[in-house]
Amino acid sequence: QKEVEQNSGPLSVPEGAIASLNCTYSDRGSQSFFWYRQYSGKSPELIMFIYSNGDKEDGRFTAQLNKASQYVSLLIRDSQPSDSATYLCAVLSGGSYIPTFGRGTSLIVHP
Amino acid sequence: NAGVMQNPRHLVRRRGQEARLRCSPMKGHSHVYWYRQLPEEGLKFMVYLQKENIIDESGMPKERFSAEFPKEGPSILRIQQVVRGDSAAYFCASSQGGSNTGELFFGEGSRLTVL
């Protein structure tokens, strides 16, 4: 059973702070890792993906991957109230076409 | 709108009725995924289809649930004899090919309420 674990939160941070969202996964054969953002009542949208160990930066977002520890994280710098949403971690195993999603972490950025 | 289209957005059914949820993938996409989301839970995979083929239905309940993606028309997720536990948001996602890149484009979801 492939599992993707996230703390459901909510994670509350002040505006302008760094929000750190974490995800662990059970399948060592996992090769691709994704972060989706889902606003309340809306559909998930892809915001970041990472395939290699290390950091990947895109604007205010940084994804970090450590395959040895089976851990992937998302950092949001200069958090804004508009970043308040649920962030879903998704993992794709090698040879699979079906991403496995975590239950998501609720982020609240307060002014 | 070239995005993934789902309808109905909201559906109310009484126990024992049938629910049909429809999904038109993004233009140019030939692969469709259905996921179910319960309140405070993540997305649970149900079924993965290509045109006229079910590729993987390992997440589908063995009874009452079926899915199709005909040559013409939208993909349909069908739930027969609905029960209260079927109440959830059902999301459809599409990809251009098999999502070996993991990037899925989601529709707005169909929210089923069973009374």
Side-chain angles (χ1 to χ4, degrees), chain B residues 68-98:
Chain B
E68 63 176 2
F69 190 13
K71 186 177 180 181
E72 301 291 339
S75 175
I76 295 175
L77 179 66
R78 180 184 182 201
I79 311 172
Q80 296 178 289
Q81 300 174 350
V82 296
V83 301
R84 289 210 173 115
D86 296 332
S87 296
Y90 292 83
F91 285 95
C92 169
S94 72
S95 67
Q96 188 170 22

PDB file of all heavy atoms in Angstrom, chain B residues 68-98:
ATOM      1  N   GLU B  68     -17.017   4.779 -17.712  1.00  0.00           N
ATOM      2  CA  GLU B  68     -16.763   4.571 -19.127  1.00  0.00           C
ATOM      3  C   GLU B  68     -16.243   5.853 -19.739  1.00  0.00           C
ATOM      4  O   GLU B  68     -16.462   6.950 -19.221  1.00  0.00           O
ATOM      5  CB  GLU B  68     -18.049   4.126 -19.844  1.00  0.00           C
ATOM      6  CG  GLU B  68     -19.167   5.125 -19.818  1.00  0.00           C
ATOM      7  CD  GLU B  68     -20.375   4.674 -20.627  1.00  0.00           C
ATOM      8  OE1 GLU B  68     -20.359   3.553 -21.177  1.00  0.00           O
ATOM      9  OE2 GLU B  68     -21.335   5.449 -20.716  1.00  0.00           O
ATOM     10  N   PHE B  69     -15.578   5.695 -20.859  1.00  0.00           N
ATOM     11  CA  PHE B  69     -15.091   6.841 -21.627  1.00  0.00           C
ATOM     12  C   PHE B  69     -15.250   6.445 -23.094  1.00  0.00           C
ATOM     13  O   PHE B  69     -14.346   5.886 -23.700  1.00  0.00           O
ATOM     14  CB  PHE B  69     -13.634   7.124 -21.280  1.00  0.00           C
ATOM     15  CG  PHE B  69     -13.094   8.415 -21.838  1.00  0.00           C
ATOM     16  CD1 PHE B  69     -13.918   9.400 -22.368  1.00  0.00           C
ATOM     17  CD2 PHE B  69     -11.732   8.654 -21.818  1.00  0.00           C
ATOM     18  CE1 PHE B  69     -13.409  10.585 -22.874  1.00  0.00           C
ATOM     19  CE2 PHE B  69     -11.198   9.846 -22.314  1.00  0.00           C
ATOM     20  CZ  PHE B  69     -12.047  10.800 -22.841  1.00  0.00           C
ATOM     21  N   PRO B  70     -16.429   6.712 -23.643  1.00  0.00           N
ATOM     22  CA  PRO B  70     -16.722   6.251 -25.008  1.00  0.00           C
ATOM     23  C   PRO B  70     -15.921   7.011 -26.055  1.00  0.00           C
ATOM     24  O   PRO B  70     -15.341   8.066 -25.786  1.00  0.00           O
ATOM     25  CB  PRO B  70     -18.228   6.518 -25.142  1.00  0.00           C
ATOM     26  CG  PRO B  70     -18.507   7.613 -24.167  1.00  0.00           C
ATOM     27  CD  PRO B  70     -17.561   7.413 -23.024  1.00  0.00           C
ATOM     28  N   LYS B  71     -15.942   6.483 -27.257  1.00  0.00           N
ATOM     29  CA  LYS B  71     -15.233   7.108 -28.362  1.00  0.00           C
ATOM     30  C   LYS B  71     -15.716   8.540 -28.586  1.00  0.00           C
ATOM     31  O   LYS B  71     -14.936   9.450 -28.859  1.00  0.00           O
ATOM     32  CB  LYS B  71     -15.422   6.278 -29.629  1.00  0.00           C
ATOM     33  CG  LYS B  71     -14.604   6.754 -30.819  1.00  0.00           C
ATOM     34  CD  LYS B  71     -14.803   5.819 -32.000  1.00  0.00           C
ATOM     35  CE  LYS B  71     -13.988   6.286 -33.197  1.00  0.00           C
ATOM     36  NZ  LYS B  71     -14.183   5.387 -34.363  1.00  0.00           N
ATOM     37  N   GLU B  72     -17.001   8.723 -28.470  1.00  0.00           N
ATOM     38  CA  GLU B  72     -17.581  10.056 -28.599  1.00  0.00           C
ATOM     39  C   GLU B  72     -18.264  10.425 -27.295  1.00  0.00           C
ATOM     40  O   GLU B  72     -18.957   9.605 -26.710  1.00  0.00           O
ATOM     41  CB  GLU B  72     -18.605  10.075 -29.748  1.00  0.00           C
ATOM     42  CG  GLU B  72     -18.041   9.691 -31.099  1.00  0.00           C
ATOM     43  CD  GLU B  72     -17.089  10.722 -31.656  1.00  0.00           C
ATOM     44  OE1 GLU B  72     -17.174  11.891 -31.214  1.00  0.00           O
ATOM     45  OE2 GLU B  72     -16.263  10.371 -32.519  1.00  0.00           O
ATOM     46  N   GLY B  73     -18.065  11.646 -26.861  1.00  0.00           N
ATOM     47  CA  GLY B  73     -18.761  12.106 -25.669  1.00  0.00           C
ATOM     48  C   GLY B  73     -17.906  12.051 -24.422  1.00  0.00           C
ATOM     49  O   GLY B  73     -16.751  11.616 -24.443  1.00  0.00           O
ATOM     50  N   PRO B  74     -18.499  12.491 -23.315  1.00  0.00           N
ATOM     51  CA  PRO B  74     -17.732  12.605 -22.079  1.00  0.00           C
ATOM     52  C   PRO B  74     -17.511  11.264 -21.384  1.00  0.00           C
ATOM     53  O   PRO B  74     -18.169  10.268 -21.699  1.00  0.00           O
ATOM     54  CB  PRO B  74     -18.621  13.516 -21.213  1.00  0.00           C
ATOM     55  CG  PRO B  74     -20.007  13.169 -21.653  1.00  0.00           C
ATOM     56  CD  PRO B  74     -19.904  12.937 -23.144  1.00  0.00           C
ATOM     57  N   SER B  75     -16.615  11.270 -20.437  1.00  0.00           N
ATOM     58  CA  SER B  75     -16.480  10.138 -19.535  1.00  0.00           C
ATOM     59  C   SER B  75     -17.616  10.209 -18.518  1.00  0.00           C
ATOM     60  O   SER B  75     -18.035  11.302 -18.107  1.00  0.00           O
ATOM     61  CB  SER B  75     -15.145  10.192 -18.806  1.00  0.00           C
ATOM     62  OG  SER B  75     -15.056   9.156 -17.845  1.00  0.00           O
ATOM     63  N   ILE B  76     -18.132   9.059 -18.124  1.00  0.00           N
ATOM     64  CA  ILE B  76     -19.232   9.005 -17.169  1.00  0.00           C
ATOM     65  C   ILE B  76     -18.860   8.098 -16.019  1.00  0.00           C
ATOM     66  O   ILE B  76     -18.393   6.975 -16.228  1.00  0.00           O
ATOM     67  CB  ILE B  76     -20.522   8.510 -17.848  1.00  0.00           C
ATOM     68  CG1 ILE B  76     -20.972   9.533 -18.896  1.00  0.00           C
ATOM     69  CG2 ILE B  76     -21.621   8.292 -16.811  1.00  0.00           C
ATOM     70  CD1 ILE B  76     -22.161   9.097 -19.706  1.00  0.00           C
ATOM     71  N   LEU B  77     -19.064   8.618 -14.807  1.00  0.00           N
ATOM     72  CA  LEU B  77     -18.962   7.805 -13.595  1.00  0.00           C
ATOM     73  C   LEU B  77     -20.390   7.558 -13.119  1.00  0.00           C
ATOM     74  O   LEU B  77     -21.139   8.504 -12.885  1.00  0.00           O
ATOM     75  CB  LEU B  77     -18.151   8.526 -12.522  1.00  0.00           C
ATOM     76  CG  LEU B  77     -17.985   7.782 -11.195  1.00  0.00           C
ATOM     77  CD1 LEU B  77     -17.145   6.523 -11.373  1.00  0.00           C
ATOM     78  CD2 LEU B  77     -17.346   8.695 -10.136  1.00  0.00           C
ATOM     79  N   ARG B  78     -20.743   6.296 -12.983  1.00  0.00           N
ATOM     80  CA  ARG B  78     -22.107   5.926 -12.650  1.00  0.00           C
ATOM     81  C   ARG B  78     -22.115   5.228 -11.300  1.00  0.00           C
ATOM     82  O   ARG B  78     -21.325   4.303 -11.063  1.00  0.00           O
ATOM     83  CB  ARG B  78     -22.655   5.001 -13.731  1.00  0.00           C
ATOM     84  CG  ARG B  78     -24.067   4.519 -13.531  1.00  0.00           C
ATOM     85  CD  ARG B  78     -24.424   3.528 -14.627  1.00  0.00           C
ATOM     86  NE  ARG B  78     -25.787   3.044 -14.526  1.00  0.00           N
ATOM     87  CZ  ARG B  78     -26.217   1.913 -15.088  1.00  0.00           C
ATOM     88  NH1 ARG B  78     -25.384   1.178 -15.797  1.00  0.00           N
ATOM     89  NH2 ARG B  78     -27.470   1.541 -14.957  1.00  0.00           N
ATOM     90  N   ILE B  79     -23.000   5.698 -10.435  1.00  0.00           N
ATOM     91  CA  ILE B  79     -23.154   5.078  -9.119  1.00  0.00           C
ATOM     92  C   ILE B  79     -24.604   4.622  -9.000  1.00  0.00           C
ATOM     93  O   ILE B  79     -25.535   5.442  -9.003  1.00  0.00           O
ATOM     94  CB  ILE B  79     -22.829   6.053  -7.974  1.00  0.00           C
ATOM     95  CG1 ILE B  79     -21.485   6.754  -8.220  1.00  0.00           C
ATOM     96  CG2 ILE B  79     -22.788   5.293  -6.645  1.00  0.00           C
ATOM     97  CD1 ILE B  79     -21.195   7.883  -7.228  1.00  0.00           C
ATOM     98  N   GLN B  80     -24.787   3.323  -8.910  1.00  0.00           N
ATOM     99  CA  GLN B  80     -26.136   2.774  -8.785  1.00  0.00           C
ATOM    100  C   GLN B  80     -26.500   2.605  -7.313  1.00  0.00           C
ATOM    101  O   GLN B  80     -25.617   2.396  -6.459  1.00  0.00           O
ATOM    102  CB  GLN B  80     -26.213   1.424  -9.497  1.00  0.00           C
ATOM    103  CG  GLN B  80     -25.998   1.505 -10.996  1.00  0.00           C
ATOM    104  CD  GLN B  80     -26.028   0.134 -11.648  1.00  0.00           C
ATOM    105  OE1 GLN B  80     -25.111  -0.662 -11.476  1.00  0.00           O
ATOM    106  NE2 GLN B  80     -27.074  -0.138 -12.410  1.00  0.00           N
ATOM    107  N   GLN B  81     -27.788   2.709  -7.026  1.00  0.00           N
ATOM    108  CA  GLN B  81     -28.316   2.458  -5.684  1.00  0.00           C
ATOM    109  C   GLN B  81     -27.488   3.187  -4.632  1.00  0.00           C
ATOM    110  O   GLN B  81     -26.936   2.571  -3.718  1.00  0.00           O
ATOM    111  CB  GLN B  81     -28.351   0.955  -5.415  1.00  0.00           C
ATOM    112  CG  GLN B  81     -29.237   0.203  -6.396  1.00  0.00           C
ATOM    113  CD  GLN B  81     -29.146  -1.322  -6.217  1.00  0.00           C
ATOM    114  OE1 GLN B  81     -28.286  -1.821  -5.494  1.00  0.00           O
ATOM    115  NE2 GLN B  81     -30.032  -2.037  -6.868  1.00  0.00           N
ATOM    116  N   VAL B  82     -27.419   4.487  -4.760  1.00  0.00           N
ATOM    117  CA  VAL B  82     -26.546   5.276  -3.898  1.00  0.00           C
ATOM    118  C   VAL B  82     -26.919   5.111  -2.429  1.00  0.00           C
ATOM    119  O   VAL B  82     -28.091   4.895  -2.065  1.00  0.00           O
ATOM    120  CB  VAL B  82     -26.566   6.772  -4.274  1.00  0.00           C
ATOM    121  CG1 VAL B  82     -26.006   6.967  -5.675  1.00  0.00           C
ATOM    122  CG2 VAL B  82     -27.955   7.369  -4.153  1.00  0.00           C
ATOM    123  N   VAL B  83     -25.888   5.206  -1.577  1.00  0.00           N
ATOM    124  CA  VAL B  83     -26.044   5.182  -0.129  1.00  0.00           C
ATOM    125  C   VAL B  83     -25.421   6.462   0.414  1.00  0.00           C
ATOM    126  O   VAL B  83     -24.679   7.160  -0.288  1.00  0.00           O
ATOM    127  CB  VAL B  83     -25.378   3.941   0.502  1.00  0.00           C
ATOM    128  CG1 VAL B  83     -25.978   2.665  -0.065  1.00  0.00           C
ATOM    129  CG2 VAL B  83     -23.865   3.945   0.253  1.00  0.00           C
ATOM    130  N   ARG B  84     -25.735   6.756   1.702  1.00  0.00           N
ATOM    131  CA  ARG B  84     -25.263   8.014   2.279  1.00  0.00           C
ATOM    132  C   ARG B  84     -23.741   8.114   2.229  1.00  0.00           C
ATOM    133  O   ARG B  84     -23.175   9.188   2.061  1.00  0.00           O
ATOM    134  CB  ARG B  84     -25.767   8.155   3.704  1.00  0.00           C
ATOM    135  CG  ARG B  84     -27.259   8.431   3.779  1.00  0.00           C
ATOM    136  CD  ARG B  84     -27.623   9.242   5.001  1.00  0.00           C
ATOM    137  NE  ARG B  84     -29.026   9.615   4.949  1.00  0.00           N
ATOM    138  CZ  ARG B  84     -29.934   9.189   5.821  1.00  0.00           C
ATOM    139  NH1 ARG B  84     -29.599   8.387   6.808  1.00  0.00           N
ATOM    140  NH2 ARG B  84     -31.192   9.575   5.702  1.00  0.00           N
ATOM    141  N   GLY B  85     -23.050   6.985   2.356  1.00  0.00           N
ATOM    142  CA  GLY B  85     -21.595   7.006   2.328  1.00  0.00           C
ATOM    143  C   GLY B  85     -21.001   7.403   0.993  1.00  0.00           C
ATOM    144  O   GLY B  85     -19.793   7.644   0.895  1.00  0.00           O
ATOM    145  N   ASP B  86     -21.837   7.461  -0.045  1.00  0.00           N
ATOM    146  CA  ASP B  86     -21.355   7.897  -1.352  1.00  0.00           C
ATOM    147  C   ASP B  86     -21.268   9.417  -1.446  1.00  0.00           C
ATOM    148  O   ASP B  86     -20.716   9.941  -2.423  1.00  0.00           O
ATOM    149  CB  ASP B  86     -22.277   7.381  -2.465  1.00  0.00           C
ATOM    150  CG  ASP B  86     -22.303   5.868  -2.565  1.00  0.00           C
ATOM    151  OD1 ASP B  86     -21.298   5.228  -2.194  1.00  0.00           O
ATOM    152  OD2 ASP B  86     -23.339   5.318  -3.000  1.00  0.00           O
ATOM    153  N   SER B  87     -21.821  10.112  -0.467  1.00  0.00           N
ATOM    154  CA  SER B  87     -21.768  11.575  -0.479  1.00  0.00           C
ATOM    155  C   SER B  87     -20.312  12.038  -0.434  1.00  0.00           C
ATOM    156  O   SER B  87     -19.565  11.686   0.480  1.00  0.00           O
ATOM    157  CB  SER B  87     -22.523  12.141   0.730  1.00  0.00           C
ATOM    158  OG  SER B  87     -23.898  11.833   0.661  1.00  0.00           O
ATOM    159  N   ALA B  88     -19.918  12.787  -1.424  1.00  0.00           N
ATOM    160  CA  ALA B  88     -18.519  13.210  -1.556  1.00  0.00           C
ATOM    161  C   ALA B  88     -18.420  14.143  -2.750  1.00  0.00           C
ATOM    162  O   ALA B  88     -19.385  14.340  -3.495  1.00  0.00           O
ATOM    163  CB  ALA B  88     -17.605  12.007  -1.764  1.00  0.00           C
ATOM    164  N   ALA B  89     -17.217  14.696  -2.900  1.00  0.00           N
ATOM    165  CA  ALA B  89     -16.895  15.424  -4.133  1.00  0.00           C
ATOM    166  C   ALA B  89     -16.154  14.476  -5.055  1.00  0.00           C
ATOM    167  O   ALA B  89     -15.212  13.803  -4.628  1.00  0.00           O
ATOM    168  CB  ALA B  89     -16.043  16.651  -3.826  1.00  0.00           C
ATOM    169  N   TYR B  90     -16.589  14.416  -6.292  1.00  0.00           N
ATOM    170  CA  TYR B  90     -15.956  13.544  -7.275  1.00  0.00           C
ATOM    171  C   TYR B  90     -15.260  14.428  -8.299  1.00  0.00           C
ATOM    172  O   TYR B  90     -15.894  15.228  -8.987  1.00  0.00           O
ATOM    173  CB  TYR B  90     -17.005  12.643  -7.938  1.00  0.00           C
ATOM    174  CG  TYR B  90     -17.581  11.639  -6.979  1.00  0.00           C
ATOM    175  CD1 TYR B  90     -18.623  11.977  -6.122  1.00  0.00           C
ATOM    176  CD2 TYR B  90     -17.053  10.347  -6.896  1.00  0.00           C
ATOM    177  CE1 TYR B  90     -19.131  11.061  -5.213  1.00  0.00           C
ATOM    178  CE2 TYR B  90     -17.567   9.425  -5.996  1.00  0.00           C
ATOM    179  CZ  TYR B  90     -18.600   9.786  -5.158  1.00  0.00           C
ATOM    180  OH  TYR B  90     -19.097   8.871  -4.256  1.00  0.00           O
ATOM    181  N   PHE B  91     -13.944  14.277  -8.359  1.00  0.00           N
ATOM    182  CA  PHE B  91     -13.143  15.094  -9.267  1.00  0.00           C
ATOM    183  C   PHE B  91     -12.685  14.262 -10.448  1.00  0.00           C
ATOM    184  O   PHE B  91     -12.225  13.123 -10.298  1.00  0.00           O
ATOM    185  CB  PHE B  91     -11.910  15.657  -8.551  1.00  0.00           C
ATOM    186  CG  PHE B  91     -12.227  16.795  -7.618  1.00  0.00           C
ATOM    187  CD1 PHE B  91     -12.429  16.564  -6.266  1.00  0.00           C
ATOM    188  CD2 PHE B  91     -12.324  18.093  -8.097  1.00  0.00           C
ATOM    189  CE1 PHE B  91     -12.727  17.610  -5.402  1.00  0.00           C
ATOM    190  CE2 PHE B  91     -12.608  19.152  -7.244  1.00  0.00           C
ATOM    191  CZ  PHE B  91     -12.814  18.900  -5.895  1.00  0.00           C
ATOM    192  N   CYS B  92     -12.773  14.867 -11.585  1.00  0.00           N
ATOM    193  CA  CYS B  92     -12.229  14.297 -12.808  1.00  0.00           C
ATOM    194  C   CYS B  92     -10.973  15.082 -13.167  1.00  0.00           C
ATOM    195  O   CYS B  92     -10.909  16.299 -12.948  1.00  0.00           O
ATOM    196  CB  CYS B  92     -13.271  14.405 -13.914  1.00  0.00           C
ATOM    197  SG  CYS B  92     -12.666  14.025 -15.565  1.00  0.00           S
ATOM    198  N   ALA B  93      -9.982  14.387 -13.666  1.00  0.00           N
ATOM    199  CA  ALA B  93      -8.769  15.045 -14.140  1.00  0.00           C
ATOM    200  C   ALA B  93      -8.399  14.449 -15.485  1.00  0.00           C
ATOM    201  O   ALA B  93      -8.735  13.303 -15.784  1.00  0.00           O
ATOM    202  CB  ALA B  93      -7.625  14.863 -13.147  1.00  0.00           C
ATOM    203  N   SER B  94      -7.713  15.235 -16.295  1.00  0.00           N
ATOM    204  CA  SER B  94      -7.280  14.712 -17.584  1.00  0.00           C
ATOM    205  C   SER B  94      -5.798  14.973 -17.797  1.00  0.00           C
ATOM    206  O   SER B  94      -5.192  15.843 -17.152  1.00  0.00           O
ATOM    207  CB  SER B  94      -8.112  15.312 -18.726  1.00  0.00           C
ATOM    208  OG  SER B  94      -7.791  16.671 -18.955  1.00  0.00           O
ATOM    209  N   SER B  95      -5.231  14.202 -18.694  1.00  0.00           N
ATOM    210  CA  SER B  95      -3.848  14.411 -19.096  1.00  0.00           C
ATOM    211  C   SER B  95      -3.737  14.115 -20.581  1.00  0.00           C
ATOM    212  O   SER B  95      -4.579  13.415 -21.159  1.00  0.00           O
ATOM    213  CB  SER B  95      -2.890  13.527 -18.296  1.00  0.00           C
ATOM    214  OG  SER B  95      -3.096  12.162 -18.603  1.00  0.00           O
ATOM    215  N   GLN B  96      -2.675  14.633 -21.172  1.00  0.00           N
ATOM    216  CA  GLN B  96      -2.522  14.483 -22.618  1.00  0.00           C
ATOM    217  C   GLN B  96      -2.245  13.034 -22.978  1.00  0.00           C
ATOM    218  O   GLN B  96      -2.823  12.480 -23.897  1.00  0.00           O
ATOM    219  CB  GLN B  96      -1.398  15.384 -23.116  1.00  0.00           C
ATOM    220  CG  GLN B  96      -1.292  15.454 -24.625  1.00  0.00           C
ATOM    221  CD  GLN B  96      -0.331  16.545 -25.061  1.00  0.00           C
ATOM    222  OE1 GLN B  96       0.530  16.966 -24.303  1.00  0.00           O
ATOM    223  NE2 GLN B  96      -0.475  17.009 -26.286  1.00  0.00           N
ATOM    224  N   GLY B  97      -1.304  12.445 -22.256  1.00  0.00           N
ATOM    225  CA  GLY B  97      -1.043  11.031 -22.435  1.00  0.00           C
ATOM    226  C   GLY B  97      -1.199  10.397 -21.084  1.00  0.00           C
ATOM    227  O   GLY B  97      -1.844  10.948 -20.203  1.00  0.00           O
ATOM    228  N   GLY B  98      -0.583   9.254 -20.879  1.00  0.00           N
ATOM    229  CA  GLY B  98      -0.556   8.708 -19.538  1.00  0.00           C
ATOM    230  C   GLY B  98       0.230   9.671 -18.682  1.00  0.00           C
ATOM    231  O   GLY B  98       1.225  10.230 -19.116  1.00  0.00           O
TER     232      GLY B  98
END
